[in-house]
Amino acid sequence: MADDEKAVAMGSPHLGKETELQQRRGSVPTKVIEHANDADEALKAFAGQEREVLVLDEATSKKLLKRIDLHLMPLLCIIYGLNYLDKTTLSYASVMGLRKDLNLTGDRYQWISSMFYFGYLAWEYPTNRLLQRLPLAKYSSFCIIMWGLVLCCMAATKNYSGALAVRFFLGVFEAAVTPGFALFTSQWYTKKEQGTRVGIWFSFNGFAQIFGGLIAYAIAKGVRLHGAAIAPWKIVFLVTGLLTMAVGTLFLIFMPDNQLNARWLSPSDRKLAIERVRINQQGIGNKHFKLYQLKEALIDPLTWAFAFYALAADIPNGGITNFFSQLIVSFGYTPEQSLLYGTPGGAVEIIALIVCGYLGDRYGQRLLISTSGLLVAILGMILIVALPLSNDGGRLAGYYLTQASPTPFVALLSLISTNVAGWTKKTSVAAIYLISYCAGNIIGPQVFRPSDAPRYVPAEITIICCWVASICDILFIYWYCKHQNKKKAAFQSQPGYSKLENQEWLDLTDRENPEFVYSL
């Protein structure tokens, strides 16, 4: 066989058989033996075909990757862009008459901003359990369509309490999107491909900011020139909500739950698509809740390092996402101009995420390279704080630089796909990460106090401090993963060490599987 080919002979999928385990007990770690009976969904593809030999050469793998990208990435990108657009519609609406029409005096707008994340937080862990237990694409589609419907309901609100209720349920249904997309990425892509893919679909936040700003500006200007039967902010919610429902329907029709029911792959290609992710040591899914994996997630230092980052970094995110239009107005621009001038920030985010994602995968240094975006963002916020109010252009440029800040958040999100194994553990860590994200976003709008307008200096200093703490946390995660890899390498080098056949498909956690290597 040629050097660039590998022949993969599939062993028995029934790895839990007591006879085999007893034979291997002397050389295989005890935890691997204990947890080998409830394997991954991937083994179903090979059941009854133990002697089949699959040939997966580099050319075939690249061809499969192109097909996977073609069928998955457009859906993931568009939906994730809408996910961000639906969040920022409130910011657009805030300068299009919503505050006046709903009588949002005092800190009521801050609480409407935060209420989304109360719903997100309340439903994040249950939705992660459902993402594991139910067909992944179908449950995700249901949530997408429902969040579009709820967003449309925002146009019907007439008071503060109605807006609070709608924002809460919007958070409930959007809670499934980010962890669900991390699971899709983990299922279909190798570790070396995941950082770039997560960076690409997350970068559509930037496209959404550009698209949303242009749409909101066009609606505001059109209503001002020609009038409309309903308020312009209501039109914004209806347009984005209906668009989300339409794309959610397409997601339901075309998105497979995993490789096993991908209609655009032949039966043999489905097996190859599974085989190409064997190197991840994670499989493609396990529907069963495993208490020991939840316990491991709760005591793993990485879990809480991820959680600290999400909390610290998303206090700034919560403030900027909901107040960026008002922040731009504070620079001396009109509300209508703020809708238009916010769009270049989306371009900065797109460039930062795609470049950092690509370079992180290219050089195997996702964590360290991702900090560059946060350093740029800190520089931008320093400009906003330090420059006088009269320097509108300089402060606006500073705002644009802050839009590079999501790069480490996205790197960590991709590392939940890459560095957390065991499907109960993976969904649990994702839930904790995003619960912390919610907490940060709940706190964020509260630091932008009306009494601090127009400069919002206390909020801006808080943002800088949070970002500095976040960089320190990233450096700890880098050190910890590197340290764990050294320990695993030392364990594997011990005399008599061996592994079970198809150990990659046993739904083992990253800590209990000696073969698992953490990406940096």
Side-chain angles (χ1 to χ4, degrees):
M1 185 171 290
D3 291 338
D4 64 344
E5 295 184 348
K6 60 177 181 177
V8 185
M10 302 308 303
S12 172
H14 307 293
L15 296 173
K17 289 183 179 180
E18 188 65 20
T19 53
E20 180 182 354
L21 297 186
Q22 290 293 342
Q23 291 172 359
R24 307 296 301 279
R25 191 175 295 275
S27 56
V28 178
T30 303
K31 286 186 177 181
V32 175
I33 297 292
E34 291 175 354
H35 301 141
N37 292 294
D38 189 2
D40 189 86
E41 293 283 303
L43 286 180
K44 292 181 180 179
F46 308 107
Q49 303 174 37
E50 292 81 0
R51 296 183 180 180
E52 181 179 358
V53 175
L54 296 179
V55 178
L56 182 62
D57 56 40
E58 186 175 351
T60 303
S61 183
K62 287 183 177 180
K63 183 179 178 181
L64 268 176
L65 179 60
K66 288 181 180 178
R67 292 185 66 188
I68 292 167
D69 279 340
L70 179 64
H71 287 86
L72 265 60
M73 289 302 293
L75 287 170
L76 296 178
C77 290
I78 293 171
I79 291 294
Y80 209 79
L82 289 172
N83 175 62
Y84 184 78
L85 178 61
D86 292 349
K87 292 190 187 80
T88 55
T89 47
L90 185 67
S91 181
Y92 301 135
S94 70
V95 295
M96 296 173 72
L98 174 138
R99 296 178 71 125
K100 179 181 177 181
D101 291 351
L102 299 186
N103 191 29
L104 302 183
T105 57
D107 60 358
R108 284 185 166 186
Y109 178 77
Q110 283 92 325
W111 282 110
I112 284 182
S113 301
S114 295
M115 187 53 66
F116 170 90
Y117 294 100
F118 280 107
Y120 203 116
L121 187 152
W123 194 242
E124 186 56 44
Y125 188 75
T127 208
N128 269 273
R129 294 272 61 80
L130 293 172
L131 285 167
Q132 181 186 3
R133 185 69 184 88
L134 300 177
L136 182 57
K138 295 177 181 62
Y139 177 68
S140 299
S141 302
F142 168 77
C143 292
I144 293 164
I145 294 169
M146 288 303 298
W147 109 51
L149 178 62
V150 171
L151 193 66
C152 289
C153 293
M154 190 70 185
T157 57
K158 297 182 179 180
N159 52 45
Y160 174 60
S161 58
L164 283 176
V166 170
R167 290 284 294 175
F168 179 87
F169 284 104
L170 189 63
V172 166
F173 289 113
E174 288 200 31
V177 177
T178 299
F181 281 23
L183 292 179
F184 280 119
T185 306
S186 179
Q187 280 182 336
W188 288 89
Y189 294 101
T190 66
K191 289 183 177 184
K192 291 184 178 180
E193 298 161 355
Q194 289 173 11
T196 302
R197 268 65 185 185
V198 174
I200 291 172
W201 56 252
F202 203 101
S203 75
F204 270 67
N205 283 357
F207 285 105
Q209 186 172 340
I210 295 170
F211 177 74
L214 294 174
I215 291 295
Y217 176 78
I219 290 172
K221 188 170 184 179
V223 170
R224 176 170 57 82
L225 295 176
H226 307 292
I230 61 175
W233 64 268
K234 294 185 177 183
I235 298 175
V236 171
F237 283 115
L238 287 172
V239 169
T240 53
L242 291 171
L243 181 59
T244 299
M245 292 176 69
V247 179
T249 303
L250 294 177
F251 196 90
L252 175 63
I253 295 171
F254 295 109
M255 193 71 177
D257 297 307
N258 55 41
Q259 291 91 329
L260 297 176
N261 67 351
R263 289 176 291 182
W264 36 270
L265 289 177
S266 66
S268 60
D269 282 345
R270 291 174 189 173
K271 296 175 186 176
L272 291 174
I274 294 172
E275 181 58 39
R276 69 183 300 275
V277 297
R278 177 187 288 269
I279 192 174
N280 293 351
Q281 298 280 333
Q282 296 183 42
I284 62 171
N286 184 292
K287 301 292 185 185
H288 304 141
F289 174 78
K290 299 181 180 180
L291 182 59
Y292 88 91
Q293 292 193 8
L294 172 60
K295 290 179 179 178
E296 182 177 309
L298 293 176
I299 63 172
D300 192 337
L302 269 185
T303 301
W304 301 108
F306 282 8
F308 177 82
Y309 182 89
L311 175 65
D314 283 295
I315 291 174
N317 180 70
I320 294 173
T321 298
N322 289 287
F323 279 85
F324 73 86
S325 292
Q326 294 172 59
L327 194 63
I328 294 173
V329 169
S330 76
F331 297 161
Y333 300 98
T334 67
E336 196 171 283
Q337 287 175 323
S338 75
L339 299 173
L340 194 60
Y341 291 169
T343 56
V348 173
E349 182 175 356
I350 293 167
I351 294 170
L353 288 173
I354 293 179
V355 170
C356 285
Y358 171 76
L359 293 178
D361 279 351
R362 175 71 176 80
Y363 295 104
Q365 298 289 344
R366 281 188 234 174
L367 288 166
L368 295 183
I369 289 175
S370 72
T371 60
S372 61
L374 205 48
L375 292 171
V376 170
I378 291 172
L379 173 62
M381 190 54 68
I382 291 173
L383 290 176
I384 293 174
V385 174
L387 293 176
L389 283 172
S390 58
N391 194 337
D392 300 339
R395 299 186 79 211
L396 184 60
Y399 163 73
Y400 293 151
L401 293 180
T402 66
Q403 298 306 287
S405 66
T407 50
F409 181 88
V410 176
L412 290 186
L413 185 62
S414 72
L415 288 179
I416 291 176
S417 296
T418 304
N419 281 358
V420 183
W423 283 80
T424 297
K425 183 180 180 182
K426 185 188 292 287
T427 53
S428 298
V429 173
I432 292 169
Y433 185 62
L434 292 167
I435 286 170
S436 301
Y437 156 85
C438 291
N441 278 284
I442 288 170
I443 297 168
Q446 306 305 321
V447 303
F448 279 80
R449 309 304 299 174
S451 58
D452 296 328
R455 288 205 62 118
Y456 298 108
V457 172
E460 293 159 359
I461 293 175
T462 300
I463 287 172
I464 292 173
C465 293
C466 287
W467 280 340
V468 171
S470 299
I471 289 178
C472 294
D473 188 51
I474 290 290
L475 295 177
F476 167 77
I477 294 171
Y478 176 84
W479 169 84
Y480 185 82
C481 289
K482 199 168 185 179
H483 178 65
Q484 292 301 308
N485 284 342
K486 289 181 180 178
K487 289 176 64 176
K488 286 176 177 286
F491 185 85
Q492 291 180 45
S493 65
Q494 292 178 357
Y497 168 79
S498 66
K499 69 185 189 74
L500 290 176
E501 189 175 25
N502 285 332
Q503 186 167 302
E504 301 88 348
W505 305 137
L506 293 184
D507 192 38
L508 302 174
T509 68
D510 51 282
R511 294 183 73 178
E512 68 180 330
N513 184 358
E515 298 288 315
F516 191 94
V517 178
Y518 293 96
S519 296
L520 302 176

